[in-house]
Amino acid sequence: MTGVSARLCEGVCAIAAADWDACAGAGNPFVSHGFLAALEQSGSVGGRSGWQPLPIVIDGPDGRPAGIVPAYAKSHSQGEYVFDHGWADAWQRAGGDYYPKLQIASPFSPVPGPRLLLRDPAVAPALIAALETVVDQNGLSSAHATFVTDEQVPAFEAAGWLIRQGTQFHWANDGYATFDDFLAALASRKRKAIRKERAAAVEGLTIRHLSGDAIRPEHWDAFWAFYQDTGRRKWGTPYLKRSFFPLLGAALGDRVLLILAERDGVPIAGALNLVGDDALYGRYWGSTEEVPFLHFELCYYQAIDAAIARGLARVEAGAQGEHKLARGYVPVPTWSAHYIPDPNFRRAVADFLTRECEGVAAEASYLAEMAPFKRG
């Protein structure tokens, strides 16, 4: 496109929710105005978090955004789940400043989704060019679009960005009407193991699914304790602030699904999910009591129950975790795209990605052979 100009905004909240969501669509809650604005309003991004919101907008002839990129200036590589620490170390050993870099993502969310939010698909190349311009004019080392949908990878590839492959484990709904229908598709030994796990996990407990107004302040209080426990063990300091959760609930309503395990009416564990048009997205989990298999029950099996009940096509249960394989979650590829203007650094990263891709593809093929489903 010719004669197109882009503008940088000081945060998602600087853009009207209706204009943002007209570009983002309703399918993926992690790129919705409600989710990203809650991160800003709670202070989970911005300030000294290392995530400075800088969304890039191209306006249409009607004066409203025709395309938006959820971009962030990053001063570190935490909360991304596509790891580039080795690239940063190499660049800085060579005398360069890897940070700040430009990150195109939904913060703290290893969830594939659109990274070019398009009311007008024709502006996609101009948005990518705008990202490159921001990097070049500000002397940044690089730009990184992480967890890009399959459909948008070709746009970045056509612009010359380097493509990186990863792996997640997703559950696919093959037209199941009940959880038992899903179990019937598994090999007998795996089916028995899951039934045994589920029985042990819920013994003496009550499982509750809460959405919308049914999630009350005391439920968020309980979940905050769970989230802090997990955050301390995984990251040292939890990424999200306390106020993020009720802000999220208020913004997304019934698209938030909180699954709680209670003992004698007191929550002891919980899993937070978001509901998309065709997927259930599992994100955060924690507990204050150690119960064997309860993590699998709340995060994987209850998520499958919820997806079947809603007629959703799949469950995406987050990053990593080969233990998901035995529970019916199979490996699927994920993608990221990387713009590196320095030709020598780009060449080195490209060589690394070629070798890495071969290993990732081989491992995914091996893991697929270990899926618990019946043969033939």
Side-chain angles (χ1 to χ4, degrees):
M1 296 180 68
T2 58
V4 173
S5 62
R7 56 188 174 94
L8 281 171
C9 296
E10 295 184 358
V12 174
C13 293
I15 302 170
D19 288 341
W20 183 286
D21 288 337
C23 294
N28 188 304
F30 292 91
V31 293
S32 69
H33 189 276
F35 182 87
L36 297 173
L39 290 174
E40 288 184 16
Q41 292 162 350
S42 65
S44 301
V45 301
R48 301 178 65 181
S49 68
W51 290 81
Q52 185 59 41
L54 291 172
I56 297 173
V57 178
I58 290 178
D59 293 320
D62 58 1
R64 297 179 58 205
I68 303 173
V69 176
Y72 296 81
K74 287 294 303 297
S75 60
H76 54 65
S77 289
Q78 278 71 54
E80 298 168 12
Y81 303 93
V82 175
F83 303 110
D84 64 349
H85 300 88
W87 303 0
D89 290 343
W91 184 244
Q92 290 177 194
R93 283 198 306 271
D97 292 323
Y98 192 73
Y99 306 109
K101 61 179 181 175
L102 194 64
Q103 192 76 23
I104 302 94
S106 177
F108 320 121
S109 305
V111 178
R115 297 299 176 252
L116 307 171
L117 312 183
L118 302 170
R119 184 166 63 96
D120 179 1
V123 305
L127 281 172
I128 294 175
L131 291 167
E132 296 173 358
T133 299
V134 169
V135 171
D136 296 343
Q137 289 185 349
N138 292 279
L140 306 182
S141 69
S142 50
H144 309 266
T146 45
F147 296 100
V148 181
T149 58
D150 295 356
E151 296 79 9
Q152 290 193 346
V153 169
F156 287 97
E157 197 167 24
W161 290 42
L162 299 176
I163 305 302
R164 188 178 192 183
Q165 182 177 348
T167 301
Q168 285 188 351
F169 295 86
H170 297 174
W171 177 84
N173 185 355
D174 191 17
Y176 305 123
T178 66
F179 193 91
D180 282 341
D181 289 345
F182 157 61
L183 288 181
L186 305 185
S188 175
R189 182 170 59 88
K190 298 295 185 181
R191 185 164 61 243
K192 291 176 182 176
I194 289 176
R195 285 188 172 129
K196 193 172 182 179
E197 281 187 359
R198 297 203 75 178
V202 301
E203 186 175 358
L205 300 178
T206 300
I207 308 299
R208 301 177 62 195
H209 289 213
L210 303 173
S211 290
D213 293 340
I215 306 177
R216 300 190 300 272
E218 60 266 29
H219 299 131
W220 288 128
D221 289 339
F223 187 77
W224 173 242
F226 306 148
Y227 173 73
Q228 282 186 299
D229 177 69
T230 299
R232 280 192 295 265
R233 286 187 282 108
K234 281 192 173 184
W235 315 300
T237 302
Y239 293 137
L240 301 173
K241 303 297 185 183
R242 169 65 180 86
S243 60
F244 167 76
F245 296 101
L247 285 169
L248 179 71
L252 297 190
D254 287 339
R255 301 182 79 186
V256 177
L257 172 63
L258 180 60
I259 302 176
L260 295 177
E262 296 179 347
R263 188 182 301 280
D264 300 324
V266 178
I268 65 161
L272 183 62
N273 307 265
L274 296 185
V275 181
D277 278 359
D278 61 358
L280 183 75
Y281 302 96
R283 278 309 301 122
Y284 309 109
W285 134 273
S287 65
T288 54
E289 182 180 321
E290 291 292 333
V291 178
F293 308 119
L294 187 56
H295 173 247
F296 302 147
E297 175 64 24
L298 292 193
C299 295
Y300 307 145
Y301 303 141
Q302 289 290 330
I304 290 173
D305 280 334
I308 290 173
R310 288 167 169 78
L312 299 175
R314 65 189 184 279
V315 177
E316 299 188 16
Q320 304 168 330
E322 293 181 9
H323 58 277
K324 297 169 186 170
L325 189 66
R327 289 151 187 98
Y329 290 70
V330 299
V332 298
T334 59
W335 308 99
S336 57
H338 308 270
Y339 173 66
I340 300 173
D342 183 273
N344 293 325
F345 188 35
R346 174 192 164 85
R347 191 176 308 114
V349 171
D351 289 344
F352 166 79
L353 291 179
T354 297
R355 296 191 303 273
E356 182 189 55
C357 182
E358 293 172 354
V360 169
E363 182 183 35
S365 179
Y366 168 73
L367 290 171
E369 291 296 316
M370 298 171 61
F373 296 91
K374 294 175 181 175
R375 301 297 178 185

